[in-house]
Amino acid sequence: MGELEWEEKYKLITRNLQEWLGDEQLKSILKGRDLKVYWGTATTGKPHIGYFVPMTKIADFLRAGVEVTILFADLHAYLDNMKAPWELLDLRSQYYEAIIKAMLRSIDVPLDKLKFVKGTEYQLSKEYTLDVYRMASIITEHDAKKAGAEVVKQVSNALLSGLLYPGLQALDEEYLKVDAQFGGVDQRKIFTFAEKYLPSLGYKKRIHLMNPMIPGLAGTKMSSSEDDSKIDLLDDPEKVKNKLKKSFCAPGNTTDNGMLSFSKLVIFPHLKEGELYLVPRTAEYGGDVSFDKYENLESAYVTNKIHPGDLKNAMIMYVNKLLDPIRKEFSSDPKLLSLSEKAYPSLSKPQKSPVIYEYIPTRLDIRVGRIVEVKRHPDADSLYVEKIDLAEESGPRTIVSGLVNFVPIEEMENRKVLVLANLKPANLRGITSHGMVLCASVDAPTRIVEPLIPPTSSKPGDKIVVEGYENGKPDDVLNPKKKTWEKLQHGFMVDEYGVARWFGNPLIMTSTLENVMAEKLRNAAIK
């Protein structure tokens, strides 16, 4: 292999990656032989167009002569908060293989150096199981939780399965006999975890290749579980058009812009030699315009030479062009359509009555408030009586909070707080409280409580929601018999960085998408 040849492969392998660890090891291997890489995906929700981002890199790998293994992490899917029912794991693995092959064929990628493996094919073996126990004997709870923070749903009382998850992913590198693991940058903590612990078991440290995360259509991370944030690979052209028309795309803004990210990471890499990126426009708005590289498209968008509507029209054209071969392959094969319906029955068969009461955070009416008056409760030493402005026509609300022993009264005055505003009014020692101030709280070794901090730019009345649950109307008043807050509350916690979350999803202000934070407490419950 000549020097230019390995350098070309190196450029193909690393282009458009956000980061990679083990650069010298990567170069050393490429100088002697082809690289062996694995990419794993948990077989949970249906793959969406965001999967074209890793598929585009896998296409680069295959064209660079890399031996690529795609791992269907069926066991991981079950362990991560049981996101996939055990009885559907095999069907979903079959669906993933069929749809991924169709995606790669749609972008003309050779598949001769590609293979698929299911985790359960080797993760239930005696050798692997013994290594799981060996790893469990040297890993701390802190490191396991930290490694899975961006991937595994975080709850205040973590399931053991979620703590095992990072160790299993690290061991996959050894059992698949690869040189490198590829994944999104959200996997970074698991990758560095693997680099730390695999050598402790006598196994070599691998290379780690990381893709940037693509924003969804709502401006947040694209997710299989959030229908409005993604386009299914089998969505028809009209549905694709409607979803893209409604997508988040602020003029001149490149941050959290799924349109630009997808163009950079998927569309431009697949343009044929000499082909330009076309933005269709009517003559009234200057006619069609073309770009030879992504940087020029972004520059035109930042300077408002390209309107969001123009970019959306281009995306509609290119996304449908990508999906056409996949839709045709599935629509012409009854077995593939049947597989899709069997693997995802809840998506193809609507729920019928009786209506099931859902315990989802959309039911909660959480707002920013400002304390305009505070005094001690006349009949309870541990309680404050606060007047809190929520920008309501009726004026400030009276809310009673048990914060006397935790926050000095002078620090309560004029303070911005988060209020759960749709609790049923409650009489607390003779004073009716119309809501609850949300706080971070730890009980040991001594009890500490502090009110959560709303975003800096917030003002009274601003809505706070859980990311991924932005749509929907809160209950007017939470039904006390359903114990809605009590059942949802155990999923609310502050993570190790001070970000308030519900089962891993951050609390954000709807107008700016800023996070709710805790001042000092970390890994604390929210009450």
Side-chain angles (χ1 to χ4, degrees):
M1 184 186 298
E3 185 177 339
L4 182 61
E5 188 177 4
W6 80 257
E7 288 181 338
E8 287 177 337
K9 291 182 177 184
Y10 174 82
K11 288 178 182 177
L12 256 182
I13 289 167
T14 59
R15 75 165 176 169
N16 285 335
L17 290 177
Q18 183 163 325
E19 184 183 3
W20 60 97
L21 306 175
D23 188 66
E24 290 305 315
Q25 186 182 356
L26 173 60
K27 290 176 179 176
S28 176
I29 290 172
L30 288 175
K31 288 175 184 177
R33 60 171 173 81
D34 287 329
L35 194 70
K36 296 178 181 178
V37 171
Y38 107 80
W39 174 71
T41 181
T43 48
T44 53
K46 266 190 166 182
H48 46 72
I49 62 164
Y51 276 63
F52 268 108
V53 178
M55 287 307 109
T56 298
K57 276 312 307 171
I58 286 171
D60 284 342
F61 297 157
L62 291 170
R63 288 173 178 139
V66 174
E67 294 179 24
V68 177
T69 298
I70 291 182
L71 171 66
F72 295 133
D74 48 359
L75 192 55
H76 292 65
Y78 184 73
L79 288 175
D80 186 4
N81 221 19
M82 293 181 290
K83 285 182 182 176
W86 190 264
E87 62 273 14
L88 292 180
L89 288 179
D90 187 57
L91 287 168
R92 291 192 175 179
S93 294
Q94 293 177 44
Y95 178 81
Y96 266 64
E97 179 170 348
I99 203 80
I100 285 172
K101 284 180 176 177
M103 291 175 74
L104 292 172
R105 281 192 286 265
S106 78
I107 53 179
D108 299 321
V109 179
L111 304 183
D112 53 304
K113 299 192 78 171
L114 176 68
K115 67 177 181 179
F116 298 92
V117 175
K118 286 198 301 182
T120 47
E121 291 176 14
Y122 65 90
Q123 289 168 349
L124 301 176
S125 68
K126 176 182 176 181
E127 294 76 16
Y128 188 90
T129 302
L130 287 174
D131 270 344
V132 171
Y133 287 132
R134 289 175 64 206
M135 185 162 277
S137 72
I138 60 174
I139 295 169
T140 64
E141 178 190 12
H142 171 271
D143 282 4
K145 288 183 74 171
K146 181 180 177 182
E150 300 295 324
V151 179
V152 181
K153 287 290 184 183
Q154 298 296 294
V155 294
S156 53
N157 294 312
L159 294 173
L160 180 58
S161 58
L163 298 177
L164 288 172
Y165 192 108
L168 269 62
Q169 186 169 334
L171 286 173
D172 290 339
E173 296 180 350
E174 173 65 24
Y175 279 78
L176 291 171
K177 302 301 178 187
V178 295
D179 306 305
Q181 184 179 173
F182 165 61
V185 74
D186 62 336
Q187 304 271 331
R188 192 183 196 281
K189 290 179 181 177
I190 289 183
F191 291 165
T192 55
F193 171 94
E195 292 187 9
K196 176 181 178 179
Y197 282 106
L198 279 187
S200 299
L201 298 182
Y203 299 139
K204 67 179 182 180
K205 185 165 68 174
R206 265 65 178 191
I207 300 160
H208 293 103
L209 311 167
M210 286 166 273
N211 244 4
M213 301 304 295
I214 183 169
L217 303 182
T220 56
K221 176 182 172 181
M222 193 173 290
S223 167
S224 297
S225 62
E226 299 168 28
D227 191 59
D228 288 341
S229 80
K230 60 160 177 95
I231 291 171
D232 189 276
L233 294 167
L234 300 180
D235 278 349
D236 61 57
E238 193 61 27
K239 188 176 285 188
V240 170
K241 178 180 177 181
N242 290 337
K243 284 185 177 180
L244 288 172
K245 286 289 186 183
K246 292 188 294 183
S247 62
F248 175 82
C249 192
N253 184 3
T254 62
T255 304
D256 293 329
N257 190 320
M259 305 287 166
L260 288 175
S261 297
F262 196 83
S263 296
K264 176 182 180 179
L265 299 172
V266 178
I267 298 174
F268 272 92
H270 292 305
L271 293 177
K272 293 180 171 56
E273 189 174 350
E275 185 181 1
L276 301 177
Y277 182 102
L278 174 67
V279 178
R281 299 190 301 192
T282 62
E284 179 185 0
Y285 294 106
D288 295 348
V289 60
S290 299
F291 300 92
D292 60 345
K293 56 185 180 180
Y294 170 76
E295 290 74 17
N296 294 338
L297 171 66
E298 183 180 287
S299 176
Y301 190 79
V302 169
T303 56
N304 294 310
K305 293 177 182 176
I306 295 294
H307 186 271
D310 302 329
L311 187 59
K312 288 180 181 183
N313 286 335
M315 278 288 289
I316 291 167
M317 176 180 69
Y318 282 112
V319 169
N320 275 320
K321 186 177 178 181
L322 277 173
L323 298 186
D324 271 342
I326 302 171
R327 289 187 290 235
K328 287 176 184 175
E329 185 170 332
F330 271 71
S331 63
S332 62
D333 189 338
K335 290 183 179 179
L336 291 179
L337 287 177
S338 175
L339 175 61
S340 175
E341 292 170 359
K342 288 177 181 177
Y344 296 93
S346 62
L347 299 183
S348 57
K349 297 177 182 178
Q351 290 282 339
K352 296 182 180 180
S353 58
V355 175
I356 298 173
Y357 186 89
E358 289 187 289
Y359 289 94
I360 53 175
T362 308
R363 292 186 173 278
L364 306 178
D365 181 6
I366 302 175
R367 293 185 240 160
V368 176
R370 184 183 295 278
I371 300 173
V372 295
E373 179 184 315
V374 59
K375 59 185 180 182
R376 286 180 178 250
H377 194 296
D379 298 316
D381 293 340
S382 64
L383 301 179
Y384 284 130
V385 179
E386 304 134 0
K387 297 286 187 182
I388 301 182
D389 177 19
L390 295 177
E392 295 175 308
E393 291 183 6
S394 56
R397 291 191 184 196
T398 298
I399 294 178
V400 179
S401 301
L403 293 169
V404 170
N405 297 324
F406 306 104
V407 185
I409 194 166
E410 60 271 16
E411 292 183 17
M412 294 291 289
E413 295 171 350
N414 204 36
R415 183 180 190 137
K416 284 194 294 186
V417 292
L418 245 62
V419 173
L420 179 55
N422 60 341
L423 286 173
K424 185 178 180 179
N427 187 296
L428 299 176
R429 301 291 293 271
I431 295 178
T432 302
S433 180
H434 298 268
M436 180 172 69
V437 174
L438 294 179
C439 299
S441 173
V442 294
D443 294 325
T446 57
R447 190 161 186 236
I448 303 173
V449 180
E450 61 180 38
L452 293 175
I453 302 173
T456 306
S457 64
S458 64
K459 59 186 183 301
D462 280 340
K463 297 282 188 182
I464 301 293
V465 298
V466 173
E467 182 182 279
Y469 296 87
E470 295 91 337
N471 300 321
K473 184 178 181 297
D475 294 357
D476 292 333
V477 178
L478 295 176
N479 186 339
K481 293 182 179 179
K482 298 289 187 182
K483 296 188 178 297
T484 307
W485 167 245
E486 290 82 353
K487 292 194 176 183
L488 289 171
Q489 183 270 325
H490 79 280
F492 283 92
M493 68 169 292
V494 172
D495 68 13
E496 63 187 298
Y497 303 106
V499 178
R501 298 178 180 272
W502 184 75
F503 285 112
N505 298 319
L507 274 67
I508 57 173
M509 189 163 74
T510 54
S511 56
T512 64
L513 306 183
E514 295 173 88
N515 289 333
V516 171
M517 305 292 293
E519 184 176 359
K520 296 178 181 177
L521 291 182
R522 301 294 182 264
N523 298 315
I526 294 174
K527 300 179 180 179

